[in-house]
């Protein structure tokens, strides 16, 4: 079996250190040089010939980090790595997964092509915005699930009348999986958008009166949808409203929106490093989850045990 080496891109260094520690190895040495105009030039500072290389790099903010990932993959292949696995905790551009109006790009497919063309042999990621994006890759993809992180935490809360809610119709499958696991009911918030990041109207389908509601989503950006859903659910008589979201993009006025919302707490993971702290935001780590997945991949064993 080839030697396993783990490297980190500049965007995911903190998480990569935790993943490597959980795996039982130190991060490999890599230098990311930059020209004065911002052009990037990665170089591996140790031999990776014949090694199985895992490159950990999230893609938020997306543009430079995606290019950096592709350059690192290319450098690894040219250094005669046996296999290169791109570990992408947060896969950017996943919201653009279909042509939903005329003359737009299917960006998720383009990014998948770029990463594959760079030379990746395998992809490992967590909670894609849309599951069908797995089919955009012609190489193996391990799609981890944040439920393995959130379910144990929710169990510690011991909420008496827990119910799950999808903040939009697209999140029904996620909310249903949690509801099935905890054997409780679920509701749906039906929204209509004027444009990206701006909601025109929203209504709750289902009964939330007297319930401790858990909103479930894959990512939170400006937190507009999440906070509005929480407000409407609270107005419908809910006892409390919390949210569990895998990827804390948290751009624009997100922190302000969350602080001023009726949310008891927002629980996110460290797939994206939070820009600041908030009294309402709790961060759980996916490091152990990814480390176990890397062990499974290198040991040719199943990852099914990592799902609830």
């Amino acid at each position: 079996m080839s030697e396993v080496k783990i490297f980190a891109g500049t965007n995911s260094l903190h998480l990569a250190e935790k993943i490597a520690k959980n795996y039982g190895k130190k991060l490999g040495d890599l230098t990311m040089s930059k020209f004065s105009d911002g052009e990037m030039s990665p170089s591996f500072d140790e031999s990776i010939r014949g090694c199985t290389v895992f490159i950990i790099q999230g893609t938020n903010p997306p543009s430079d980090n995606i290019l950096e990932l592709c350059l690192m993959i290319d450098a690894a292949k040219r250094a005669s790595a046996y296999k290169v696995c791109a570990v992408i905790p947060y896969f950017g551009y996943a919201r653009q997964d279909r042509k939903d109006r005329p003359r737009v790009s299917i960006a998720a497919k383009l990014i998948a092509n770029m990463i594959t063309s760079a030379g990746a042999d395998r992809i490992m990621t967590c909670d894609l915005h849309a599951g069908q994006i797995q089919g955009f890759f012609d190489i193996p993809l391990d799609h981890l699930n944040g439920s393995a992180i959130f379910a144990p935490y929710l169990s510690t809360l011991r909420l008496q009348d827990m119910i799950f809610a999808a903040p939009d119709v697209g999140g029904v499958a996620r909310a249903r999986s949690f509801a099935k696991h905890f054997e409780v009911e679920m509701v749906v918030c039906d929204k209509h958008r004027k444009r990206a990041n701006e909601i025109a109207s929203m209504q709750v389908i289902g009964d939330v009166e007297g319930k401790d509601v858990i909103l479930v989503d894959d990512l939170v950006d400006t937190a507009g949808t999440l906070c509005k859903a929480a407000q409407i659910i609270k107005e419908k008589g809910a006892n409390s409203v919390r949210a569990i979201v895998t990827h804390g993009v948290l751009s624009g006025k997100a922190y302000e929106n969350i602080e001023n919302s009726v949310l008891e707490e927002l629980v996110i993971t460290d797939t994206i490093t939070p820009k600041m702290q908030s009294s309402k935001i709790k961060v759980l780590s996916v490091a152990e989850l990814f480390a176990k997945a890397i062990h499974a991949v290198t040991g040719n064993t199943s990852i099914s045990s990592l799902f609830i």
Side-chain angles (χ1 to χ4, degrees), residues 175-189:
R176 183 179 289 122
S177 67
F178 277 96
K180 182 178 180 181
H181 176 75
F182 285 97
E183 299 181 337
V184 296
E185 297 299 317
M186 64 164 286
V187 299
V188 180
C189 298

PDB file of all heavy atoms in Angstrom, residues 175-189:
ATOM      1  N   ALA A 175     -34.312  17.628   5.906  1.00  0.00           N
ATOM      2  CA  ALA A 175     -35.138  17.683   7.116  1.00  0.00           C
ATOM      3  C   ALA A 175     -35.804  16.341   7.378  1.00  0.00           C
ATOM      4  O   ALA A 175     -35.903  15.891   8.529  1.00  0.00           O
ATOM      5  CB  ALA A 175     -36.185  18.790   6.979  1.00  0.00           C
ATOM      6  N   ARG A 176     -36.244  15.677   6.318  1.00  0.00           N
ATOM      7  CA  ARG A 176     -36.927  14.386   6.480  1.00  0.00           C
ATOM      8  C   ARG A 176     -35.986  13.326   7.052  1.00  0.00           C
ATOM      9  O   ARG A 176     -36.404  12.497   7.871  1.00  0.00           O
ATOM     10  CB  ARG A 176     -37.489  13.917   5.137  1.00  0.00           C
ATOM     11  CG  ARG A 176     -38.288  12.602   5.246  1.00  0.00           C
ATOM     12  CD  ARG A 176     -38.861  12.162   3.921  1.00  0.00           C
ATOM     13  NE  ARG A 176     -39.941  13.032   3.494  1.00  0.00           N
ATOM     14  CZ  ARG A 176     -39.958  13.711   2.355  1.00  0.00           C
ATOM     15  NH1 ARG A 176     -38.921  13.645   1.538  1.00  0.00           N
ATOM     16  NH2 ARG A 176     -40.986  14.462   2.033  1.00  0.00           N
ATOM     17  N   SER A 177     -34.706  13.352   6.641  1.00  0.00           N
ATOM     18  CA  SER A 177     -33.766  12.352   7.149  1.00  0.00           C
ATOM     19  C   SER A 177     -33.556  12.505   8.655  1.00  0.00           C
ATOM     20  O   SER A 177     -33.464  11.513   9.384  1.00  0.00           O
ATOM     21  CB  SER A 177     -32.425  12.467   6.410  1.00  0.00           C
ATOM     22  OG  SER A 177     -31.773  13.686   6.711  1.00  0.00           O
ATOM     23  N   PHE A 178     -33.506  13.749   9.133  1.00  0.00           N
ATOM     24  CA  PHE A 178     -33.387  13.987  10.570  1.00  0.00           C
ATOM     25  C   PHE A 178     -34.666  13.574  11.291  1.00  0.00           C
ATOM     26  O   PHE A 178     -34.621  12.948  12.362  1.00  0.00           O
ATOM     27  CB  PHE A 178     -33.081  15.457  10.850  1.00  0.00           C
ATOM     28  CG  PHE A 178     -31.636  15.822  10.724  1.00  0.00           C
ATOM     29  CD1 PHE A 178     -31.132  16.364   9.557  1.00  0.00           C
ATOM     30  CD2 PHE A 178     -30.755  15.617  11.788  1.00  0.00           C
ATOM     31  CE1 PHE A 178     -29.799  16.693   9.434  1.00  0.00           C
ATOM     32  CE2 PHE A 178     -29.413  15.944  11.676  1.00  0.00           C
ATOM     33  CZ  PHE A 178     -28.934  16.483  10.493  1.00  0.00           C
ATOM     34  N   ALA A 179     -35.814  13.933  10.714  1.00  0.00           N
ATOM     35  CA  ALA A 179     -37.096  13.585  11.332  1.00  0.00           C
ATOM     36  C   ALA A 179     -37.257  12.065  11.444  1.00  0.00           C
ATOM     37  O   ALA A 179     -37.736  11.549  12.461  1.00  0.00           O
ATOM     38  CB  ALA A 179     -38.247  14.181  10.512  1.00  0.00           C
ATOM     39  N   LYS A 180     -36.813  11.354  10.413  1.00  0.00           N
ATOM     40  CA  LYS A 180     -36.892   9.895  10.429  1.00  0.00           C
ATOM     41  C   LYS A 180     -35.968   9.315  11.489  1.00  0.00           C
ATOM     42  O   LYS A 180     -36.334   8.376  12.209  1.00  0.00           O
ATOM     43  CB  LYS A 180     -36.529   9.351   9.042  1.00  0.00           C
ATOM     44  CG  LYS A 180     -36.629   7.838   8.919  1.00  0.00           C
ATOM     45  CD  LYS A 180     -36.289   7.376   7.504  1.00  0.00           C
ATOM     46  CE  LYS A 180     -36.379   5.862   7.378  1.00  0.00           C
ATOM     47  NZ  LYS A 180     -36.016   5.404   6.005  1.00  0.00           N
ATOM     48  N   HIS A 181     -34.745   9.886  11.602  1.00  0.00           N
ATOM     49  CA  HIS A 181     -33.775   9.391  12.582  1.00  0.00           C
ATOM     50  C   HIS A 181     -34.279   9.565  14.007  1.00  0.00           C
ATOM     51  O   HIS A 181     -34.134   8.658  14.843  1.00  0.00           O
ATOM     52  CB  HIS A 181     -32.449  10.123  12.399  1.00  0.00           C
ATOM     53  CG  HIS A 181     -31.409   9.754  13.418  1.00  0.00           C
ATOM     54  ND1 HIS A 181     -30.727   8.553  13.387  1.00  0.00           N
ATOM     55  CD2 HIS A 181     -30.946  10.414  14.516  1.00  0.00           C
ATOM     56  CE1 HIS A 181     -29.892   8.492  14.409  1.00  0.00           C
ATOM     57  NE2 HIS A 181     -29.997   9.606  15.111  1.00  0.00           N
ATOM     58  N   PHE A 182     -34.880  10.723  14.294  1.00  0.00           N
ATOM     59  CA  PHE A 182     -35.367  11.015  15.650  1.00  0.00           C
ATOM     60  C   PHE A 182     -36.831  10.614  15.856  1.00  0.00           C
ATOM     61  O   PHE A 182     -37.374  10.809  16.942  1.00  0.00           O
ATOM     62  CB  PHE A 182     -35.189  12.510  15.959  1.00  0.00           C
ATOM     63  CG  PHE A 182     -33.766  12.910  16.238  1.00  0.00           C
ATOM     64  CD1 PHE A 182     -32.967  13.453  15.224  1.00  0.00           C
ATOM     65  CD2 PHE A 182     -33.206  12.733  17.495  1.00  0.00           C
ATOM     66  CE1 PHE A 182     -31.653  13.817  15.478  1.00  0.00           C
ATOM     67  CE2 PHE A 182     -31.891  13.094  17.751  1.00  0.00           C
ATOM     68  CZ  PHE A 182     -31.111  13.639  16.740  1.00  0.00           C
ATOM     69  N   GLU A 183     -37.454  10.087  14.792  1.00  0.00           N
ATOM     70  CA  GLU A 183     -38.854   9.622  14.846  1.00  0.00           C
ATOM     71  C   GLU A 183     -39.789  10.734  15.305  1.00  0.00           C
ATOM     72  O   GLU A 183     -40.591  10.556  16.227  1.00  0.00           O
ATOM     73  CB  GLU A 183     -38.965   8.387  15.752  1.00  0.00           C
ATOM     74  CG  GLU A 183     -38.140   7.206  15.251  1.00  0.00           C
ATOM     75  CD  GLU A 183     -38.277   5.983  16.153  1.00  0.00           C
ATOM     76  OE1 GLU A 183     -38.626   6.153  17.339  1.00  0.00           O
ATOM     77  OE2 GLU A 183     -38.045   4.866  15.668  1.00  0.00           O
ATOM     78  N   VAL A 184     -39.669  11.887  14.639  1.00  0.00           N
ATOM     79  CA  VAL A 184     -40.538  13.027  14.917  1.00  0.00           C
ATOM     80  C   VAL A 184     -41.089  13.548  13.589  1.00  0.00           C
ATOM     81  O   VAL A 184     -40.748  13.044  12.519  1.00  0.00           O
ATOM     82  CB  VAL A 184     -39.790  14.157  15.668  1.00  0.00           C
ATOM     83  CG1 VAL A 184     -39.335  13.679  17.040  1.00  0.00           C
ATOM     84  CG2 VAL A 184     -38.604  14.668  14.848  1.00  0.00           C
ATOM     85  N   GLU A 185     -41.922  14.588  13.653  1.00  0.00           N
ATOM     86  CA  GLU A 185     -42.546  15.151  12.465  1.00  0.00           C
ATOM     87  C   GLU A 185     -41.661  16.237  11.853  1.00  0.00           C
ATOM     88  O   GLU A 185     -40.640  16.648  12.424  1.00  0.00           O
ATOM     89  CB  GLU A 185     -43.919  15.739  12.815  1.00  0.00           C
ATOM     90  CG  GLU A 185     -44.919  14.714  13.326  1.00  0.00           C
ATOM     91  CD  GLU A 185     -45.204  13.626  12.303  1.00  0.00           C
ATOM     92  OE1 GLU A 185     -45.364  13.972  11.104  1.00  0.00           O
ATOM     93  OE2 GLU A 185     -45.249  12.446  12.677  1.00  0.00           O
ATOM     94  N   MET A 186     -42.076  16.727  10.689  1.00  0.00           N
ATOM     95  CA  MET A 186     -41.365  17.821  10.030  1.00  0.00           C
ATOM     96  C   MET A 186     -42.364  18.767   9.369  1.00  0.00           C
ATOM     97  O   MET A 186     -43.514  18.399   9.103  1.00  0.00           O
ATOM     98  CB  MET A 186     -40.389  17.297   8.978  1.00  0.00           C
ATOM     99  CG  MET A 186     -41.045  16.583   7.814  1.00  0.00           C
ATOM    100  SD  MET A 186     -39.936  16.388   6.387  1.00  0.00           S
ATOM    101  CE  MET A 186     -39.915  18.069   5.776  1.00  0.00           C
ATOM    102  N   VAL A 187     -41.927  20.010   9.131  1.00  0.00           N
ATOM    103  CA  VAL A 187     -42.726  21.001   8.413  1.00  0.00           C
ATOM    104  C   VAL A 187     -41.854  21.612   7.320  1.00  0.00           C
ATOM    105  O   VAL A 187     -40.638  21.400   7.286  1.00  0.00           O
ATOM    106  CB  VAL A 187     -43.256  22.113   9.351  1.00  0.00           C
ATOM    107  CG1 VAL A 187     -44.152  21.522  10.436  1.00  0.00           C
ATOM    108  CG2 VAL A 187     -42.109  22.897   9.966  1.00  0.00           C
ATOM    109  N   VAL A 188     -42.483  22.377   6.435  1.00  0.00           N
ATOM    110  CA  VAL A 188     -41.772  22.988   5.313  1.00  0.00           C
ATOM    111  C   VAL A 188     -42.101  24.472   5.236  1.00  0.00           C
ATOM    112  O   VAL A 188     -43.263  24.863   5.390  1.00  0.00           O
ATOM    113  CB  VAL A 188     -42.154  22.306   3.976  1.00  0.00           C
ATOM    114  CG1 VAL A 188     -41.405  22.961   2.809  1.00  0.00           C
ATOM    115  CG2 VAL A 188     -41.866  20.820   4.014  1.00  0.00           C
ATOM    116  N   CYS A 189     -41.088  25.290   5.003  1.00  0.00           N
ATOM    117  CA  CYS A 189     -41.286  26.715   4.737  1.00  0.00           C
ATOM    118  C   CYS A 189     -41.211  26.913   3.226  1.00  0.00           C
ATOM    119  O   CYS A 189     -40.167  26.650   2.620  1.00  0.00           O
ATOM    120  CB  CYS A 189     -40.224  27.562   5.429  1.00  0.00           C
ATOM    121  SG  CYS A 189     -40.242  27.415   7.227  1.00  0.00           S
TER     122      CYS A 189
END
